[in-house]
Amino acid sequence: MSFGQGGPQWGPGAPQEPQSQAPDWAALAEASESRNRRKKWLMIGGGALATAVIAGIVATAVVTANGKNQAKNPDDLPASEEIPNSTSSAGPTFAETKAPPPPDPKEFISDAKKDKAPLSVDSLFPGKKFTKGSEVYKKGDSTATKKCADATQGTLGPVLNANDCERLMRVTYVKDGVAVTIGVAVFENEKQADKAKDEADKKGNVMSLPGKGVPSFCRTSTCFTTINSYGRYGYFTTAGFTNGKAVTNKDEKVFAIAKDLQGLAFQQIHKRGAMQASAAAGLG
């Protein structure tokens, strides 16, 4: 019997409907558990990878901050003992400054415009004696005059006048029968003093100054003389025996004493400049 095409059919030769089967619940459960395990491992692995990436970024940032903006691989970091303990920046540095040197003493005694300190024989040669090492020289008389030529002998007077000598100061020291008169001529400037020194010769000298226990010397006998200048000052010495004996080339004692007193003149003139230089620098 048939109800039309496509409908159900019955009979011995008709095809049979397949029989339904119950699901395999154990297999389904195992498959679900396997999928869950894979998801869990994927999440763990992804988290570890993310952590590693973040650590790498931080390490790179640290290296970049301390490495002059040059990123480096974290594996290239220095060993722990090579990493500085402190990352604080050093304070500002400043170039070393030095105080300017004090003025040159000669600058203050080379021109009357700067050489303003009081000047006299006693200020230039103070005290009653001069001591050098074990040698002691007793101070005799002293004097000063504005008529420079009047305190000279021979050719020295005209030389001083030609170079406008302003004043001539004299002082005498004596030791062991030898007397030395120091003469200090004062000029307006160094140029005049140097010119007077160059023009002076052995035919002229500063006149010896006796007095205060020192007899007349070197007025008629041969004596030893020196000529020099420093700054605006010319300084001269006349040395000889107090008994009137003539000085010869063999009288080393006279030469040595004259050298000491010549050195005293230079020393005192320089000291005058040094004191004014110190005062100008605020050190005196």
Side-chain angles (χ1 to χ4, degrees), residues 119-234:
L119 177 63
S120 68
V121 181
D122 289 335
S123 69
L124 203 58
F125 301 99
K128 295 182 178 181
K129 61 184 179 180
F130 164 56
T131 302
K132 181 178 181 181
S134 61
E135 304 296 331
V136 179
Y137 301 93
K138 182 181 176 181
K139 183 179 176 181
D141 207 354
S142 62
T143 187
T145 179
K146 292 183 179 180
K147 296 181 179 180
C148 299
D150 291 352
T152 66
Q153 290 180 312
T155 59
L156 182 59
V159 169
L160 298 183
N161 287 341
N163 290 283
D164 300 323
C165 175
E166 298 178 352
R167 191 184 344 174
L168 180 61
M169 299 176 289
R170 290 181 296 163
V171 61
T172 295
Y173 290 87
V174 62
K175 180 182 183 299
D176 298 337
V178 176
V180 179
T181 293
I182 303 171
V184 177
V186 184
F187 298 89
E188 177 70 18
N189 52 56
E190 182 179 17
K191 183 178 179 180
Q192 291 174 331
D194 285 345
K195 191 169 183 289
K197 177 194 69 174
D198 294 339
E199 293 177 354
D201 55 36
K202 294 181 180 180
K203 295 180 181 180
N205 61 281
V206 63
M207 185 181 294
S208 62
L209 179 66
K212 291 188 178 180
V214 180
S216 179
F217 68 102
C218 293
R219 293 296 178 91
T220 58
S221 59
T222 302
C223 288
F224 178 69
T225 62
T226 65
I227 303 167
N228 218 318
S229 68
Y230 183 55
R232 71 183 187 111
Y233 298 91

Side-chain angles (χ1 to χ4, degrees), residues 21-38:
Q21 297 179 354
D24 189 347
W25 298 109
L28 291 174
E30 183 178 354
S32 177
E33 184 177 355
S34 177
R35 286 193 300 272
N36 289 338
R37 281 198 302 268
R38 285 197 300 271

